[in-house]
Amino acid sequence: MLLYFKIADHFNIIDHPNERSSHSEVTIRGGGIIYLFAALVALVLHPEFWMPILGLFIIGIISFVDDRITLSGKVRIVFHLAAVTLLFLSIGIFQMLPFWASILLYILVIGVINAYNFMDGINGITGAYSIVVLGGLQYVNYEVINFIQPDLIWLPILATLVFLFFNFRKRAKCFAGDVGSVTIAFWIIFLVLKLVLVSENYAYVLFLAVYGVDTVLTIIHRLKLKHNIFDAHRLHFYQILANEQKWPHLLVSTVYAVLQLGIIVAVVYLPWHFLTVFLVTTIPLVLIYCLIKPRIVVVTEM
């Protein structure tokens, strides 16, 4: 990471704040490249996983390029489709699902990847949230059902801890950039899909519930306001808290991580049917969003 800082400083790979940003200082961008290094180590240790790791490199490298020179959505989607196709091939999605279901899963996975990217807007949020999700996955891997080699979870955990050291600060040393948020999203989706398939328990998708609720409800909110949902904005709940309500970034990031940790504990320990766990964990999030956000978002819409 320190080596990357020198490279980023030399080539001016920095993030300039704009009207949509939640920060005010010029900061090194692309610190999430640490995940590509972790993926390289994973490939050396477990070459049998070359296919999803290649997909991770494809989506990570194009995201790093996008951090440097903004690419069109059409270019990005081609690389995203290629990466997700490799992911699906590696875990046998096409053999298990009919064509129409595979298409829906493409849309869902690419949507989750982009949602994870949209949620990366304040110091600490991507790292804190990811460490909770990865920690939950590793706990399940050891204590509930062994679904993958532990190294493939330890490596992104270690990479996230390194990133957090430089990012979980009042004034961050670096931001993840698209290369970080997109790459760790892809890695986590691979792990979650693998876990769901091995365990045949769909409740594990709730390991991403907090991000999912914020993203989906924000899209609905923006559609209601007749906004272009593909334009940059500051209407996510976490952005309202950090920008309009002036909550410290690290507090907001911690709240999101703790909420997700609570849901992970519920998924692991509540012996209920998927639908029941889904309702018990997501309805409170929906209520918080729908009851509180309208009261504090007035400043943004004026």
Side-chain angles (χ1 to χ4, degrees):
M1 185 69 91
L2 293 174
L3 175 62
Y4 173 71
F5 285 174
K6 293 182 180 294
I7 295 171
D9 185 58
H10 179 77
F11 289 100
N12 201 36
I13 307 175
I14 56 177
D15 191 289
H16 293 279
N18 55 48
E19 70 277 4
R20 299 296 185 184
S21 301
S22 297
H23 63 284
S24 57
E25 301 89 11
V26 174
T27 310
I28 290 176
R29 191 177 193 182
I33 201 169
I34 190 74
Y35 292 113
L36 293 182
F37 177 76
L40 183 61
V41 177
L43 181 61
V44 172
L45 295 176
H46 300 284
E48 68 273 20
F49 287 95
W50 68 269
M51 203 174 290
I53 293 173
L54 176 59
L56 187 145
F57 269 101
I58 289 172
I59 204 168
I61 290 172
I62 196 64
S63 297
F64 185 73
V65 172
D66 192 40
D67 280 332
R68 295 289 292 124
I69 52 171
T70 302
L71 301 172
S72 72
K74 293 179 181 179
V75 172
R76 292 197 305 272
I77 195 64
V78 169
F79 286 90
H80 284 210
L81 286 170
V84 174
T85 298
L86 286 168
L87 171 58
F88 286 179
L89 286 170
S90 71
I91 57 179
I93 290 294
F94 300 119
Q95 287 74 40
M96 289 181 284
L97 298 180
F99 178 76
W100 64 268
S102 298
I103 297 299
L104 290 178
L105 192 58
Y106 266 107
I107 296 171
L108 177 62
V109 168
I110 292 176
V112 172
I113 290 171
N114 282 281
Y116 218 95
N117 188 26
F118 297 153
M119 293 296 293
D120 179 34
I122 59 174
N123 296 354
I125 194 165
T126 292
Y129 192 83
S130 297
I131 205 71
V132 165
V133 175
L134 290 166
L137 288 167
Q138 192 68 295
Y139 178 84
V140 171
N141 195 40
Y142 277 119
E143 302 296 333
V144 181
I145 180 170
N146 180 244
F147 67 94
I148 202 163
Q149 284 83 342
D151 287 345
L152 293 177
I153 305 178
W154 283 128
L155 283 167
I157 286 177
L158 290 172
T160 302
L161 290 173
V162 171
F163 173 69
L164 278 171
F165 178 77
F166 296 103
N167 181 256
F168 198 82
R169 305 172 181 223
K170 184 175 180 180
R171 182 171 181 176
K173 296 288 186 181
C174 70
F175 296 144
D178 288 359
V179 62
S181 57
V182 168
T183 302
I184 190 56
F186 186 88
W187 203 324
I188 287 174
I189 289 169
F190 164 62
L191 295 171
V192 170
L193 284 177
K194 185 79 171 172
L195 174 56
V196 169
L197 293 174
V198 172
S199 67
E200 299 182 346
N201 184 355
Y202 291 98
Y204 289 116
V205 301
L206 295 173
F207 275 38
L208 296 172
V210 175
Y211 268 17
V213 169
D214 194 333
T215 300
V216 171
L217 293 183
T218 298
I219 289 174
I220 293 172
H221 184 194
R222 299 192 71 213
L223 289 173
K224 182 181 177 182
L225 295 173
K226 298 181 180 180
H227 291 177
N228 183 342
I229 63 172
F230 298 104
D231 287 343
H233 66 93
R234 298 208 309 184
L235 273 179
H236 278 294
F237 196 17
Y238 80 89
Q239 292 172 313
I240 301 299
L241 292 174
N243 298 319
E244 275 63 51
Q245 296 301 306
K246 306 302 180 184
W247 283 30
H249 286 203
L250 301 187
L251 174 60
V252 177
S253 298
T254 301
V255 168
Y256 269 64
V258 170
L259 285 173
Q260 186 57 65
L261 178 60
I263 292 175
I264 289 171
V265 171
V267 170
V268 172
Y269 286 105
L270 292 181
W272 297 342
H273 185 270
F274 166 65
L275 181 59
T276 304
V277 178
F278 176 82
L279 293 175
V280 167
T281 55
T282 58
I283 286 179
L285 296 177
V286 173
L287 290 175
I288 290 171
Y289 189 102
C290 293
L291 295 177
I292 297 178
K293 187 179 179 184
R295 300 181 181 181
I296 62 177
V297 76
V298 177
V299 176
T300 309
E301 296 178 13
M302 287 178 60

